[in-house]
Amino acid sequence: MRMLNLGILAHVDAGKTSLTERLLHAAGAIDEVGSVDDGNTQTDSLALERQRGITIKSAVVSFVIGGTTVNLIDTPGHPDFIAEVERVLSVLDGAVLVVSAVEGVQAQTRVLMRTLRRLGIPALVFVNKIDRRGARYDGVLREITGKLVPAAVAMGVTTGLGTRAAAFTPFDGAAGFEGLVEVLAEQGEELLAAYVDDERSVSYARLRAELVAQTGRAVAHPVFFGSAITGAGVDALIAGIEELLPPAQDDPGGPVAGTVFKVERGQAGEKIAYVRMSGGTLRTRDRLRFGGGREGKVTGISVFDGGTSVRAQQVTAGRIARLWGLTDVRIGDHVTSLEGGADAVRPASEGHFAPPTLETVVVPRRPADKGALHLALAQLAEQDPLIGLRQDDLRQEVSVSLYGEVQKEVVQATLMADFGLDVTFRETTTIRVERPTGTGAAIEVIAKAPNPFLATVGLRVEPGPVDGGVEFRLEVELGSLPYAFMRTIEDTVRDTLRHGGLHGWEVVDCVVTLTHSGYWARQSHMGGGFDKSMSSTAGDFRNLVPLVLMAALKRAGTTVYEPMHRFRLELPPDTLGPVLPVLAGLGAIPRTRQDALVEGDIPAAGVHELERRLPSLTRGDGLLECGFDRYQPVRGPIPVRPRTDHNPLDRKAYLLHVVRRV
C-alpha cells in the first residue's frame, strides 16, 4: 500500500484542526467529528490547546483513503510556533494549505507557502469556510494567484456561498478545461507546443496527467473549496490527496535511516522520539547511532494506524514511528543503524529554523521550587531545541528564549500541568549576540601569581565566519594534557561564550585556539592518599578558563549585534503617510515603497510594537509579513545584559565567587 506523510498547515483560525477532524471522519477513523470550540478534537490534546482553540504542538494521526495510508500531521498555525511547523516540514511528502474563504490569504499563509516552495514540498490549497457569511470565490482565487502562487489551478466551482447549503462541484472533463490548459501550459513547454500546434490533440486525460506531474514537482497547486464544518468539498479534497500528491519515495530494503522531528515524555517520564523513517526496516532491540556519535537501543516501537498509535515489532521506510529507549536523542537528529554509518540515507528536506529573538526570566512563585524549575525547563528545552536556557548562578535565575508572548502561556501551563510548578515571568527582552572585533590572547601559568589554580591555560580569540558558530582549535600537542582536561577546557570555553561576553550577550562566530597548557600530575604524600593541593583537577581548568577567555576577549573587543527582521507591509494607500513615521520611530529601514506596499528591515525589538499599532493606523486593513533575516550591529547605546558568574570581567569578584562555591 502507498504511504503518504501529509501536513495540514494554515494561518491561525483558518480551520485546519477542524479539517483534520473531518478527514478522519470521512475516512472512517473516528465516529464523530470533534469540535475545536468544545475542546474534543483528536489532535489538540494539550489543555491549553483545548482552552484557547489553537494548535501548539504537532500531532500525528493515521487513516486510509483508497490504496493510500496517510499519516496526517496537524501543525500549529500561530506565528509563535513556526519552529514547530518547520520541524514537521522536513518529514513531509505533501501538504494541504488551508485558507479562509472569508479572511482570504493572510500573513502567516504567505510565510507557510513560501517555506513549502523553498523546500519543494507539493501542496494543495483548501479554501475553507465557504458556508460562512462573507465567503468569496473569485476574490480568494485572485489573492491566491497574486499573493501565494501564480500557478494555482481551480478544481471546481461553488454554489450557495455564505450559507449552510454551500457546496463545491469538481470540474469534469469539459468544465474547467480551458483554465487548466492555460495554467499548465505556462509551466510545461511540451504541453504548450502541442496545444499551439493542434489544441484538439491535448486530451483531458493528458491534462490530468500533466497536473499530477506538475503538482508532484511543486510547480502547480490545485485549489479546492469547501467547509470542514459541513463537510462540503471534503470528498473532492480526499480524492485530490490520493491522486495528486506523490507518495513517500523511500527504500525499505536500504540501510536504516530517519529523522527525529518531535520528542515528548511518556506518563512514566520516559523519552519518546517521533521519527520519519526514510530508509530500511527498524526493529525492536536494534541499536541506532544519532546526533554525531550518540547511541541507543530501541526498546519499543509504535506506528500510527486507524487514527491511533499501536505497538509494533518493526517499522519500515516511509512511515512515522514513536520510538522508546533512545534516552539521549534530540529533535533534529538523523538516526542510522550502527552498520549503516554516519553517511546512511537522509531525508531530502531539512528544516531551516530562524532563531528565537526574545528572552524572559522565569520566576517560581515559591522560592523553594528554583531547583525543580531548572530541571523542568531543561526537559522542555529537550523537547524543543529552539527553547534556549540561560542559568544565572549568581542570581539563581533561569531565562528562556521565545518566539512570542503566546509561548509564555504554553510554558506556564506546561510547567503547572506536568510538573506542578507555578511560575511568573519578567518583562520580555530582545536577544542580542556579540562577535569578536579583532584578535586577542591571554595566558595564566601554573604556580605563577596571581593564578590560584593548578593549571596553565593560554587562549587566543579571533573572528570566525558569519553563522559559523564557535570553533575550538589546538596549538598544543594532543598528548600534552590528559583527554579529560582537554575536554573540560573546550566545554568550558563553549559554556562561557554561551553565557555572555563583554556586554553579557552570547558570543558567536569566533575561533578560540588553545595556545598553552600545563598541569601537575596526580601526586600523593609518602604513604598517603591523593593530595589535591599537589595535583591538578578538572575543577582547576573549569575555574581558570573563564578568566583567561574573558581577558583574551577583552583584548579582542566585541561588537553587539541585534536581530533584524525583513518585513512586507501591505496597507491602504491613504494610510502610508501616518505609517511611515511610526516605522522610522521603530528603527525600520524601508527598502522599497509603492502606493500600497512597503518592504524593508526592522529591528526585532520593534516588531511587537508595530503589530500592536498597525490595526489602528490602517483601519484594520494593514497586512504585515515579518520574519528573521540577519543580525546587524546595534546603533546607538549598547544594551548590556545582566552578567553571570560565567562572565568574570571583575576578576576579584569572580575569584571570591569561585572560592565560596567550592
Side-chain angles (χ1 to χ4, degrees), residues 370-388:
K370 285 183 178 179
L373 173 62
H374 186 268
L375 292 175
L377 287 172
Q379 282 199 19
L380 295 185
E382 176 184 86
Q383 298 174 34
D384 186 345
L386 294 178
I387 293 181

Side-chain angles (χ1 to χ4, degrees), residues 122-206:
L124 311 181
V125 178
F126 182 73
V127 181
N128 190 27
K129 302 184 180 181
I130 64 171
D131 58 319
R132 290 268 303 275
R133 179 180 298 179
R136 299 168 295 142
Y137 179 86
D138 292 333
V140 173
L141 275 179
R142 284 194 298 270
E143 289 183 20
I144 291 173
T145 55
K147 299 178 180 179
L148 281 187
V149 286
V153 182
M155 300 301 292
V157 296
T158 58
T159 56
L161 275 176
T163 70
R164 294 288 291 182
F168 175 73
T169 304
F171 289 135
D172 56 21
F177 182 90
E178 188 173 328
L180 193 58
V181 170
E182 182 179 341
V183 175
L184 297 180
E186 291 185 6
Q187 311 295 326
E189 294 182 2
E190 291 184 7
L191 178 65
L192 177 60
Y195 186 72
V196 171
D197 184 57
D198 181 8
E199 61 183 60
R200 291 172 300 179
S201 67
V202 180
S203 65
Y204 181 73
R206 179 174 179 180

Side-chain angles (χ1 to χ4, degrees), residues 15 79 97 105-106 131 197 199 203 225 245 253 282 324 353 359 388 396 434 444 485 529 532 546 554 557 650 655 661:
L97 181 64
V105 173
Q106 297 169 280
D131 58 319
D197 184 57
E199 61 183 60
S203 65
F225 284 73
L245 292 179
L282 177 65
W324 281 259
F353 306 147
E359 182 181 65
Q396 291 294 300
E434 295 181 48
E444 292 282 354
F485 292 169
K532 184 177 180 181
K554 190 172 183 179
D650 186 333
L655 292 177
R661 187 173 60 182

Side-chain angles (χ1 to χ4, degrees), residues 631-647:
Y631 284 95
Q632 78 169 23
V634 171
R635 298 176 179 177
I638 297 177
V640 177
R641 190 188 205 182
R643 291 190 167 83
T644 72
D645 67 321
H646 290 277
N647 189 3

